[in-house]
Amino acid sequence: MAELNITVRDHHGQAASRRVEVDVAGGDSAPGAPPSREAAPPSQDTAGPRRYTEGLRGQPRRVSPMRRRVPMGRILVEAGLISEAQLERALQQQKETGERLGRVIMSMGLASQDDIARAIAKQLGIDFVNLADVLLDEQVLLRIPEHIARRHHVIPIAADDSSLVVGMEDPLDVVALDDLRKLTGLEIRPVVITPDAFQRALSQYPVGVDQTLAEIRPAEAYEEEVATERLRAVAEDAPIVRLANQVIVQAIRQGASDIHVEPQEQRVRIRYRIDGALYSVMTPPKHVQAALVSRIKIMAGMNIAERRVPQDGRIEMRVDNRDIDLRVSTIPTVWGEKVVMRILDKQGAFVGIEKLGLLPEDHQRFERIITRPHGIILLTGPTGSGKTTTLYAILNRLNRVEVNITTIEDPVEYQLPGIAQVQINPKAGLTFATGLRAFLRQDPDIIMVGEIRDEETARIAIHASLTGHLVLSTLHTNDAPGAVTRLVDMGIEPFLVSSSVIGVIAQRLVRVLCQHCKQSYTPTPEMLKRVGLADLTPVPTFCRAAGCEYCSNIGYRGRTGLFEIMPVDDTIKGLIVDRAPSGRIKEAAIAAGMRTLQADGLSKVLNGVTSLEEVLRVVFVEE
Ligand SMILES: Nc1ncnc2c1ncn2[C@@H]1O[C@H](COP(=O)(O)OP(=O)(O)O)[C@@H](O)[C@H]1O
Ligand SMILES: [Mg+2]
Ligand SMILES: [Zn+2]
């Protein structure tokens, strides 16, 4: 495929390191438990998880006291997994770094986590348990408090009256076994789990709220008809107040954009949206529901007596020295009121142009377009692709005392200092079109129109650009070339489009791989062929998501943009006037050096910034 312009550099212009970083965070560091993985990462096993009870049946399979004195390294040599010499080297390195032996062996590339765990299980005659297949029970989990689980690298998996099946990275850890027995008063039946599985399972601990939940009195509040006064009283119970605050503060600390409080038949599910995907963070019992929802409604200034119609409200909070705005809305569902809180972080709203994710060549192309004195610049992409953020970054860059910038938006999402922002109000007759007309009498230099939805708005925008203004706006098209043909389809004469539009920027957002736990691998020839990289030599290395404490076991942390930047040059102008199809325009743009969304995505895969799965999800699917 000749159309791929790929650069192996990250968006800061540095050559990306392709080495795998081995996660060394073994201790208790991150405050609060991270969310569990619910947006399934691509290519996971398909069979659903189930409860694990085998370990409870039959005679306890204990590790014999004799074996217990054998160190883990020995076991691995006995299993034929590593040689004596390799064990020597690993022990030496362990002395220097103080890491767990398993991790050292892994980082030396001697064996995979799975190999090690299976070998240990086999040698000791106990089970290896793949936690990905196991449904963990919150009640069982709480038999061992989170901080103890972290300290010993253990996860309680199943329990009955007398014993507790515990997943352990090192089932020979005598200290851990003793501690757990004393703590629980149960017989401990160890099974082997991998370090990654351990990290991931930690995320299933309730978010530091087990204490709070235990304190909540099972009020009769969940009953359908609770008198409003009674509801107000339970909603102001200290544990409920604390729970509501915890739910919000945790979400903010984890960088969530939305919080969902969802009544279900048996429980209430609380989910956070982080980098575009939803994760379940806790499922408090049903009796918490009415009080929690009422508490949030009180905070948001809503009417708690009304539970049958949708409402919306707002909460302003200060968390960790940041001003946070929450837009709260409720809808009645069959299981009760569902609440969604959108988190608007006024400070976090600003991404400078250099942080949008533009590769160096694209950055230059971008700057050349936005510094033109007049014309229309269009941003395209579906909702949530980062258009508004890019627009604000551009306005912020162009904002100087000597220029007059005005915006008309739906809604005004963030306030930009020094810029006159107007919110459309169709009921009062203030639309994009009427607003734009009024602006032209206000001596503007730069105008931002939230979106061009109709021919009328398009015409006024074109008129403004032809009379010496720089106009920024958005359109919903799949790619950059599609934007100019869309304007023609709206009824605008091609010569007007070709003489006004100076550049189109299409964009998408992809999640960025966590730098602490991403794993490199060699893609298969079929995969490379599918994305048009079959001829690349040497064969490239890609990275994929793993999951660690640092990234809340998601494997990704943050997002970045993919861009397709099309300056409208003379060739493209000619094609527009000739009403050429967007495919032809695309070819011409690529010939002139445009990097497509796909190519930009693949560049970022080769750089190790994101995974192929992300890029396929975001840009290849919809074509
Ligand atoms: N270049 C970017 N890098 C990282 N995050 C971004 C970027 N652009 C936008 N975001 C985040 O993505 C979310 C959606 O962005 P937004 O600009 O509102 O998209 P749109 O206007 O296309 O609907 C916001 O939470 C924003 O902070
Ligand atoms: Mg937007
Ligand atoms: Zn990570």
Side-chain angles (χ1 to χ4, degrees):
M1 225 188 267
E3 63 177 63
L4 302 172
N5 296 317
I6 294 187
T7 312
V8 183
R9 236 178 296 158
D10 69 13
H11 54 275
H12 303 301
Q14 287 146 357
S17 145
R18 300 259 193 84
R19 288 200 39 240
V20 203
E21 291 176 45
V22 176
D23 172 24
V24 290
D28 23 351
S29 48
S36 66
R37 178 178 257 171
E38 188 157 304
S43 78
Q44 282 267 305
D45 44 304
T46 43
R50 49 179 189 86
R51 295 232 185 270
Y52 173 90
T53 48
E54 290 90 325
L56 290 172
R57 283 189 230 121
Q59 281 299 308
R61 277 183 286 166
R62 281 201 207 97
V63 177
S64 84
M66 289 284 288
R67 300 295 278 159
R68 278 204 195 157
R69 267 174 237 120
V70 183
M72 183 155 119
R74 272 289 97 226
I75 299 275
L76 297 177
V77 174
E78 280 177 26
L81 206 64
I82 56 172
S83 68
E84 289 283 351
Q86 288 172 329
L87 176 59
E88 272 317 301
R89 272 198 291 133
L91 288 171
Q92 188 56 41
Q93 186 162 332
Q94 185 194 20
K95 225 176 263 164
E96 286 160 20
T97 61
E99 281 179 79
R100 286 175 169 256
L101 188 64
R103 282 188 187 277
V104 174
I105 291 172
M106 260 165 14
S107 66
M108 291 171 72
L110 300 178
S112 73
Q113 294 192 5
D114 245 53
D115 295 341
I116 296 173
R118 286 179 199 278
I120 294 171
K122 187 145 173 270
Q123 290 294 310
L124 299 178
I126 57 178
D127 279 352
F128 164 76
V129 174
N130 183 356
L131 280 187
D133 299 337
V134 175
L135 202 61
L136 294 174
D137 180 329
E138 205 167 274
Q139 293 314 311
V140 174
L141 217 46
L142 292 174
R143 295 286 183 103
I144 299 178
E146 190 184 341
H147 67 279
I148 309 257
R150 279 181 192 276
R151 184 186 312 150
H152 293 311
H153 289 235
V154 299
I155 295 291
I157 296 175
D160 61 15
D161 295 342
S162 58
S163 29
L164 185 64
V165 178
V166 179
M168 304 180 71
E169 278 182 37
D170 180 2
L172 296 170
D173 186 339
V174 188
V175 178
L177 288 165
D178 279 354
D179 262 13
L180 301 182
R181 190 170 27 248
K182 278 188 209 129
L183 175 80
T184 61
L186 298 171
E187 176 178 25
I188 305 299
R189 301 183 176 202
V191 295
V192 190
I193 58 173
T194 65
D196 271 1
F198 161 74
Q199 288 294 344
R200 219 163 283 152
L202 275 182
S203 70
Q204 309 217 4
Y205 271 95
V207 188
V209 294
D210 39 339
Q211 196 55 39
T212 305
L213 287 178
E215 289 169 26
I216 293 171
R217 284 175 287 135
E220 54 284 29
Y222 59 94
E223 278 162 26
E224 220 2 85
E225 297 306 324
V226 186
T228 303
E229 272 327 298
R230 172 96 190 91
L231 204 51
R232 189 177 301 281
V234 291
E236 277 166 7
D237 244 15
I240 285 289
V241 170
R242 192 157 4 111
L243 177 64
N245 290 343
Q246 276 167 325
V247 166
I248 296 171
V249 169
Q250 284 287 355
I252 291 164
R253 294 205 173 131
Q254 295 188 11
S257 58
D258 304 83
I259 305 169
H260 294 230
V261 179
E262 304 165 299
Q264 295 184 314
E265 187 172 10
Q266 308 285 348
R267 306 187 76 88
V268 188
R269 177 169 69 173
I270 298 180
R271 294 196 289 176
Y272 293 166
R273 187 178 294 282
I274 301 174
D275 293 336
L278 278 172
Y279 298 90
S280 176
V281 287
M282 67 179 103
T283 51
K286 196 76 177 167
H287 68 252
V288 169
Q289 177 179 315
L292 178 61
V293 168
S294 300
R295 173 65 200 159
I296 295 170
K297 286 169 73 181
I298 290 171
M299 292 170 81
M302 297 180 187
N303 176 3
I304 65 164
E306 179 56 80
R307 286 183 280 162
R308 287 188 179 78
V309 298
Q311 294 188 53
D312 55 68
R314 232 173 112 165
I315 302 174
E316 283 181 38
M317 284 179 77
R318 207 172 159 74
V319 177
D320 300 336
N321 282 320
R322 276 150 61 198
D323 286 320
I324 306 286
D325 227 3
L326 296 145
R327 301 273 170 83
V328 187
S329 64
T330 63
I331 51 162
T333 73
V334 284
W335 306 122
E337 277 179 296
K338 168 174 172 154
V339 184
V340 175
M341 293 179 261
R342 159 144 288 204
I343 301 172
L344 297 178
D345 177 351
K346 290 177 190 157
Q347 278 95 359
F350 267 112
V351 181
I353 288 175
E354 61 294 341
K355 294 206 194 111
L356 292 173
L358 291 158
L359 289 169
E361 301 88 326
D362 280 344
H363 194 166
Q364 286 166 14
R365 200 170 291 143
F366 189 91
E367 287 278 339
R368 273 200 299 276
I369 295 176
I370 67 169
T371 48
R372 297 272 295 269
H374 53 84
I376 299 183
I377 301 171
L378 295 170
L379 274 96
T380 82
T383 301
S385 57
K387 300 182 298 295
T388 301
T389 305
T390 302
L391 281 176
Y392 284 170
I394 296 173
L395 292 180
N396 206 38
R397 163 86 168 65
L398 299 176
N399 191 10
R400 293 184 313 257
V401 276
E402 67 272 24
V403 293
N404 177 8
I405 303 181
T406 326
T407 74
I408 181 147
E409 306 172 60
D410 176 26
V412 172
E413 288 174 53
Y414 297 102
Q415 284 151 22
L416 303 162
I419 294 181
Q421 293 171 278
V422 176
Q423 166 127 13
I424 66 163
N425 184 354
K427 273 186 222 141
L430 180 55
T431 62
F432 282 128
T434 53
L436 249 183
R437 258 200 208 97
F439 284 3
L440 291 178
R441 297 189 285 270
Q442 291 251 319
D443 182 32
D445 299 295
I446 300 171
I447 301 170
M448 190 260 261
V449 190
E451 191 183 331
I452 296 180
R453 288 184 192 154
D454 50 42
E455 184 188 340
E456 187 189 10
T457 310
R459 283 199 185 277
I460 310 166
I462 287 170
H463 173 73
S465 75
L466 293 176
T467 51
H469 306 98
L470 187 67
V471 179
L472 302 166
S473 193
T474 70
L475 272 178
H476 286 254
T477 62
N478 272 340
D479 59 5
V484 287
T485 43
R486 170 67 53 84
L487 288 177
V488 174
D489 290 345
M490 274 183 184
I492 308 293
E493 296 76 1
F495 79 93
L496 282 180
V497 176
S498 74
S499 50
S500 60
V501 179
I502 54 175
V504 185
I505 300 163
Q507 72 167 93
R508 297 288 188 279
L509 294 176
V510 288
R511 292 185 292 172
V512 173
L513 283 165
C514 169
Q515 297 302 307
H516 290 256
C517 63
K518 67 180 180 186
Q519 293 177 341
S520 66
Y521 68 100
T522 308
T524 62
E526 297 78 58
M527 193 188 274
L528 289 171
K529 189 153 172 248
R530 179 171 170 210
V531 296
L533 294 177
D535 304 329
L536 216 60
T537 45
V539 174
T541 303
F542 289 177
C543 291
R544 63 176 150 226
C548 69
E549 268 183 32
Y550 185 74
C551 59
S552 305
N553 290 312
I554 293 166
Y556 295 95
R557 219 178 133 93
R559 280 189 288 182
T560 192
L562 299 184
F563 295 91
E564 176 172 295
I565 302 177
M566 183 180 86
V568 177
D569 61 15
D570 289 341
T571 314
I572 293 176
K573 280 189 177 145
L575 289 168
I576 296 171
V577 173
D578 291 345
R579 294 180 181 263
S582 77
R584 290 267 315 282
I585 298 174
K586 182 171 177 178
E587 283 164 21
I590 291 168
M594 179 178 85
R595 188 204 312 268
T596 61
L597 282 170
Q598 287 85 343
D600 196 35
L602 292 175
S603 296
K604 283 159 187 163
V605 171
L606 290 168
N607 290 340
V609 171
T610 190
S611 67
L612 183 64
E613 288 77 11
E614 269 299 283
V615 172
L616 290 176
R617 177 175 74 84
V618 171
V619 291
F620 280 83
V621 182
E622 49 192 65
E623 306 297 302

